[in-house]
Amino acid sequence: MAYRLSIENTVHVPVKFTLNNAGKAAAFSFSLKCDRLEADELKERIERKDLLISDFLRGVVKGWQGQTLVVDEDGKPAEFGPDALDVMLATAGLGTVVYMAYMKECGAKEKN
């Protein structure tokens, strides 16, 4: 008999952070749509010495909602795509913020 989890293979990851914008704190908040990795696959990717955080994220992030950091030529929030994600991940420190948010959301949490 085959078994599977009763949950989706997709995780919605809330991301909140601030960036220094000419001396003022600019707050950003949006949600990423990501693939849920099984524990063995997650461990394998984490342990790879040649895999950067940005590479890891490119492999799991599949979309976003409410994103306003990356904009198009008209100043409108960019549609999700590999190039737009690369622009986001080029922001110093943001890859780590997104990675930590993903790790927090992709696994089980104790509920008291």
Side-chain angles (χ1 to χ4, degrees):
M1 174 177 270
Y3 297 99
R4 66 176 184 81
L5 294 176
S6 63
I7 57 174
E8 299 292 325
N9 287 329
T10 301
V11 177
H12 287 271
V13 177
V15 180
K16 295 180 181 183
F17 59 94
T18 61
L19 289 171
N20 182 327
N21 186 15
K24 296 180 183 176
F28 295 91
S29 177
F30 55 88
S31 176
L32 295 175
K33 179 181 175 184
C34 301
D35 288 337
R36 180 190 312 275
L37 301 179
E38 292 183 358
D40 289 343
E41 185 175 3
L42 184 59
K43 181 178 184 273
E44 176 185 312
R45 289 191 192 188
I46 290 170
E47 291 177 348
R48 282 185 51 192
K49 302 293 183 212
D50 64 327
L51 190 67
L52 301 173
I53 287 176
S54 56
D55 296 329
F56 174 88
L57 293 171
R58 283 185 200 97
V60 297
V61 178
K62 303 302 178 198
W64 57 38
Q65 291 180 308
Q67 180 286 129
T68 59
L69 176 62
V70 180
V71 297
D72 64 18
E73 293 173 348
D74 297 325
K76 296 178 184 171
E79 296 282 329
F80 177 80
D83 292 340
L85 181 60
D86 284 346
V87 170
M88 179 179 286
L89 295 177
T91 305
L94 188 50
T96 302
V97 170
V98 172
Y99 177 80
M100 296 305 292
Y102 174 81
M103 296 303 286
K104 179 181 174 186
E105 294 298 321
C106 74
K109 298 177 188 170
E110 182 179 3
K111 179 96 174 170
N112 292 335

